[in-house]
Amino acid sequence: MLHIEGLTKQYKTDEVELFALKNINVHVSKGEFVAIVGPSGSGKSTFLNMLGCLDRPTSGSYVLDGIEVTRLKDKELAGVRNQKIGFVFQSFNLLPRATSLRNVEIPMLYAGVGMAVRKKRATAALQRVGLGQRMGHKPSQLSGGQRQRVAIARALVNQPSIVLADEPTGNLDSRSSMEVMSIFQELHAQGVTILLVTHEADIAQHAERVITFKDGCIIKDEQVIDRLFAT
Ligand code: ADP
Ligand code: ADP
């Protein structure tokens, strides 16, 4: 479902030219749960920005669901982003004055979905992350783990092809982190494709595959085999 070949990203600033990604090749199948790890500055964020169609590579190919994304015009790219990709951020990015239900409805507003269907789908998404009893709560009335679960429900609500999560446990204590990772594992069991960036090795062990970046290259790409012992 996701094919990346020879993906390269070069940043040019006044003084220096820097390759943030160098000739990356990755294939991710539908339903995989992939963690992306590596030291700060290794290219993880840049890679996620490419996957999320938030930025364009300097060269190389990115095919998502059979679409060569790198050839699309900006407007078409925005369409792919809205329809095919669900984003989860470190800082949740919820509207503080809106209830969980309203927050989860937002992607459907952009997609032009009618009110009744919006409410029905947002309700189902919140139930899916275990927040059926918190639909009328605002972010300030929720724990960190619950806030991130609202954000995950929002990422899911348009039924994206992939969910991209950038340090989703970075602002959470260890208990909330486990709560959020177990939701990702449940979604994985239901067939959702997930790519998650983290710098924490124990968080990465919740995935089924770990890709390690260093200096803009993939230096390791391996299946997690000790799941039974990792918990
Ligand atoms: P990571 O997410 O692993 O910390 P990044 O993808 O943020 O790594 O950064 C990879 C490299 O690219 C770093 O050297 C960083 O400074 C550089 N970089 C990232 N974004 C930009 C940008 N917009 N302009 C110039 N350099 C950038
Ligand atoms: P993260 O904490 O996710 O690794 P960073 O702090 O590396 O993110 O980067 C935050 C933002 O700043 C990103 O959008 C990245 O592209 C941009 N950025 C990172 N390094 C540079 C740089 N050297 N010059 C310009 N922008 C940068």
Side-chain angles (χ1 to χ4, degrees):
M1 75 143 26
L2 191 158
H3 289 276
I4 285 177
E5 262 183 54
L7 197 80
T8 295
K9 178 66 178 182
Q10 182 178 21
Y11 288 117
K12 283 184 191 162
T13 53
D14 299 340
E15 320 89 64
V16 282
E17 292 181 6
L18 177 147
F19 284 93
L21 295 174
K22 301 168 193 163
N23 191 27
I24 299 292
N25 299 295
V26 186
H27 169 85
V28 176
S29 303
K30 188 168 162 46
E32 275 195 280
F33 182 7
V34 183
I36 296 162
V37 301
S40 183
S42 59
K44 306 183 298 295
S45 300
T46 303
F47 184 60
L48 213 65
N49 287 346
M50 301 295 143
L51 293 180
C53 303
L54 296 165
D55 198 0
R56 291 172 182 279
T58 308
S59 60
S61 156
Y62 171 21
V63 177
L64 176 62
D65 275 351
I67 302 169
E68 176 54 80
V69 174
T70 51
R71 287 210 203 100
L72 298 181
K73 300 192 178 77
D74 284 352
K75 224 178 187 169
E76 297 168 320
L77 206 60
V80 167
R81 199 157 58 222
N82 292 331
Q83 287 160 28
K84 294 193 176 288
I85 301 165
F87 293 94
V88 177
F89 307 94
Q90 177 171 350
S91 50
F92 321 131
N93 292 6
L94 299 174
L95 293 181
R97 290 172 198 280
T99 62
S100 303
L101 193 69
R102 290 273 177 246
N103 267 292
V104 174
E105 283 184 30
I106 289 167
M108 292 184 285
L109 286 175
Y110 293 118
V113 178
M115 193 171 66
V117 176
R118 277 205 313 268
K119 190 167 181 195
K120 194 170 145 217
R121 280 167 53 183
T123 300
L126 282 163
Q127 285 167 345
R128 208 168 164 191
V129 299
L131 289 177
Q133 308 301 318
R134 296 284 185 277
M135 295 198 289
H137 289 57
K138 292 177 182 172
S140 61
Q141 299 170 304
L142 299 171
S143 71
Q146 289 172 335
R147 288 179 203 179
Q148 194 58 298
R149 278 150 67 191
V150 173
I152 293 168
R154 181 183 57 191
L156 290 171
V157 80
N158 278 341
Q159 295 180 303
S161 303
I162 51 171
V163 172
L164 301 179
D166 195 358
E167 297 278 4
T169 60
N171 278 339
L172 300 176
D173 60 29
S174 57
R175 196 172 137 256
S176 297
S177 296
M178 288 308 121
E179 178 185 321
V180 162
M181 292 315 293
S182 64
I183 293 288
F184 279 122
Q185 286 188 322
E186 268 175 48
L187 295 172
H188 168 52
Q190 294 165 15
V192 178
T193 310
I194 303 163
L195 280 92
L196 180 153
V197 165
T198 180
H199 64 272
E200 296 169 85
D202 54 333
I203 292 294
Q205 292 303 305
H206 288 82
E208 61 171 341
R209 174 179 171 191
V210 179
I211 296 177
T212 308
F213 276 77
K214 192 183 176 198
D215 298 332
C217 298
I218 290 176
I219 57 162
K220 220 191 279 177
D221 184 345
E222 55 188 12
Q223 300 294 316
V224 174
I225 46 169
D226 57 350
R227 164 75 53 72
L228 284 173
F229 307 100
T231 51

